[in-house]
Amino acid sequence: MKLNWPLMVDNITREDLDRLVAFLSQDPPPRLTQASNVIAFEKAWAQWVGVKHCVFVNSGASANLITMAALKYKVGVGEVIVPSLTWSSDIVSVVQAGMQPVFVDINPRTLSMDTDLILAAITDKTKAVFMTHAQGFNGLTQKLLDELEKRNILLIEDVCESHGATFKGKKCGAIGFASNFSFYFAHHMSTIEGGMVCTNDDQFYSDIRLFRSHGMTRESPYEQIKQDYIDAEPELNPEFIFWFPGYNVRNTEIGGVLGLSGLPKLDGNNKKRYDNFAYFLSKLSPDRFQTDFALEGSINYAFNVILKDKNDPMFDRICEALRAANVEFRRGSAGGGNMLRQPFVRPYVEDGSYWEYPVTEHIHFYGFYVGNYPELTKEKIDQLCELLNNA
Ligand SMILES: Cc1ncc(COP(=O)(O)O)c(C=O)c1O
């Protein structure tokens, strides 16, 4: 039976596009580069997350990139603790900032870094913990937050694939020193491409605004900070003081309009995704698959399927059955599995050290995900579970 199950359904709707068309049809034509809609979306997102400041950029990877670049200027070069299971840009941003990534394995119930392993990896060179809230799960624990505070180590949250996940009722992304989101179409909500940096820190907010736009000091939202830069460089044109080696990762008004249109639907869609995932797990065979995920506070846009045992023939049969039923899936979960196996990571880790991350290694070979979107019905989820349980 064909289930015809795409990995993701675009969550930009007809209504969103109509709103965009109405915006574009204005006379005189609207400005399309970053302007009032970008600012309005930043404000709306800050309110939704529960943070003071947001900076809209052109992708989640760009949010990672400028967060790590600005962090390096704040704390200096050192080690950043990162997960073995994450997206490439979480590691790329660290190494491009000249920081050393220190890898930590994940907790199988949250697919995010394990608290005890993080604490064991901390050294006197540790500058930050870059937590990926993987696949919709909250990765934080009170023990981790307490220890990081005690040791004065910054927490940066990557919430690119977990919009709406919570820890003790507070949104992930509002807890660390800074956080990143992605609005790529595969995620909980989309602005075509897009990302956000969030923080409660005024100086970091100012720095991030500079990094977003060529490192130019006139991008600071604060008159006093702007004046300090001008006073420090009296021989430079105040309009063109390039303080940081910044980038241009701005988004556009089109992204701003789509963000404002999509945000009111996010909570409703997230509720459906949560219900879908809970129902999926209740129907999945606990003898064959891991079903004891930490559901509390999670909002998954994917059904994670992980074999309990290292059973190659069963895994192959399942993949074959999925292909035959036209169900799209991605092996290895977030980022395709163990990041330490990726060619670009090899210069930063010891040869063959991917074996030291057994939970991620298991998912690399015996895990995959299937899309979870609001439109799914229980009947369809039943059919998928039947296929998985019987393959
Ligand atoms: C955890 C994580 N970080 C960063 C990114 C990068 O986001 P983008 O695709 O918007 O560049 C992704 C993308 O899937 C992600 O899952």
Side-chain angles (χ1 to χ4, degrees), residues 303-374:
F303 294 157
N304 269 274
V305 186
I306 301 167
L307 260 60
K308 275 202 150 161
D309 303 318
K310 296 183 185 352
N311 187 333
D312 291 293
M314 191 204 283
F315 193 75
D316 291 346
R317 277 201 310 276
I318 290 171
C319 292
E320 231 167 81
L322 289 169
R323 284 189 199 105
N326 203 19
V327 177
E328 242 187 299
F329 61 100
R330 288 285 184 271
R331 291 181 62 168
S333 192
N338 196 344
M339 270 295 139
L340 284 97
R341 288 179 170 272
Q342 294 293 345
F344 84 90
V345 175
R346 287 187 199 133
Y348 307 99
V349 294
E350 274 178 40
D351 274 357
S353 55
Y354 46 78
W355 288 112
E356 293 164 21
Y357 304 81
V359 183
T360 302
E361 274 293 278
H362 182 78
I363 292 171
H364 188 98
F365 291 104
Y366 303 104
F368 61 91
Y369 71 85
V370 174
N372 166 18
Y373 24 87

Side-chain angles (χ1 to χ4, degrees), residues 59-62 64 86-87 89-90 132 158 160-161 182-184 187 193-194 301:
S59 73
S62 297
N64 295 155
T86 184
W87 188 251
S89 54
D90 289 67
T132 300
D158 184 329
C160 284
E161 48 186 60
S182 161
F183 304 111
Y184 182 58
H187 296 150
E193 296 277 1
Y301 70 88

Side-chain angles (χ1 to χ4, degrees), residues 145-165:
L145 296 180
D146 291 345
E147 286 294 325
L148 294 185
E149 196 179 346
K150 205 160 76 190
R151 300 177 199 207
N152 218 5
I153 293 171
L154 293 180
L155 169 69
I156 311 294
E157 299 176 82
D158 184 329
V159 205
C160 284
E161 48 186 60
S162 299
H163 314 52

Side-chain angles (χ1 to χ4, degrees), residues 2-269:
K2 295 277 182 206
L3 290 182
N4 299 328
W5 190 305
L7 195 66
M8 213 39 71
V9 172
D10 202 330
N11 47 46
I12 295 177
T13 61
R14 181 71 256 163
E15 187 197 357
D16 298 326
L17 293 177
D18 287 345
R19 204 163 153 184
L20 182 58
V21 169
F23 166 73
L24 294 171
S25 307
Q26 288 176 91
D27 199 18
R31 175 178 160 172
L32 295 181
T33 53
Q34 176 182 291
S36 61
N37 283 284
V38 166
I39 294 168
F41 180 44
E42 288 173 340
K43 287 206 168 110
W45 191 257
Q47 197 172 21
W48 184 81
V49 176
V51 287
K52 201 165 161 193
H53 306 296
C54 282
V55 178
F56 190 34
V57 293
N58 58 7
S59 73
S62 297
N64 295 155
L65 180 72
I66 62 172
T67 298
M68 282 300 135
L71 185 80
K72 198 269 293 283
Y73 274 87
K74 180 178 167 58
V75 299
V77 179
E79 295 174 352
V80 179
I81 295 180
V82 292
S84 42
L85 187 86
T86 184
W87 188 251
S88 60
S89 54
D90 289 67
I91 316 303
V92 170
S93 57
V94 170
V95 301
Q96 287 191 349
M99 310 281 252
Q100 174 65 32
V102 173
F103 287 88
V104 157
D105 205 355
I106 56 164
N107 177 325
R109 297 194 62 228
T110 64
L111 307 183
S112 307
M113 280 190 283
D114 180 84
T115 290
D116 289 333
L117 295 174
I118 293 174
L119 298 181
I122 290 174
T123 69
D124 55 4
K125 296 197 203 93
T126 306
K127 300 290 186 186
V129 169
F130 195 7
M131 168 66 74
T132 300
H133 297 285
Q135 299 274 297
F137 293 105
N138 155 57
L140 300 176
T141 62
Q142 196 55 50
K143 182 176 175 185
L144 177 65
L145 296 180
D146 291 345
E147 286 294 325
L148 294 185
E149 196 179 346
K150 205 160 76 190
R151 300 177 199 207
N152 218 5
I153 293 171
L154 293 180
L155 169 69
I156 311 294
E157 299 176 82
D158 184 329
V159 205
C160 284
E161 48 186 60
S162 299
H163 314 52
T166 55
F167 172 64
K168 292 192 169 172
K170 201 166 175 185
K171 285 217 177 73
C172 295
I175 299 163
F177 175 73
S179 64
N180 300 155
F181 288 85
S182 161
F183 304 111
Y184 182 58
F185 105 106
H187 296 150
H188 300 65
M189 93 162 233
S190 177
T191 58
I192 309 175
E193 296 277 1
M196 198 72 88
V197 181
C198 311
T199 185
N200 287 318
D201 187 273
D202 295 345
Q203 181 64 53
F204 198 71
Y205 170 51
S206 177
D207 292 352
I208 285 289
R209 295 255 305 217
L210 268 61
F211 269 101
R212 174 176 65 178
S213 290
H214 309 288
M216 279 193 297
T217 60
R218 67 172 137 105
E219 292 292 324
S220 174
Y222 302 117
E223 289 311 315
Q224 187 56 53
I225 293 182
K226 262 195 275 201
Q227 192 56 48
D228 290 347
Y229 287 128
I230 292 168
D231 293 346
E233 297 294 336
E235 301 203 340
L236 290 179
N237 174 349
E239 296 300 317
F240 293 103
I241 303 175
F242 298 98
W243 193 266
F244 293 122
Y247 305 92
N248 177 358
V249 292
R250 294 185 295 249
N251 209 303
T252 67
E253 287 292 272
I254 291 175
V257 169
L258 289 173
L260 287 167
S261 185
L263 182 52
K265 292 178 291 204
L266 180 57
D267 287 331
N269 283 342

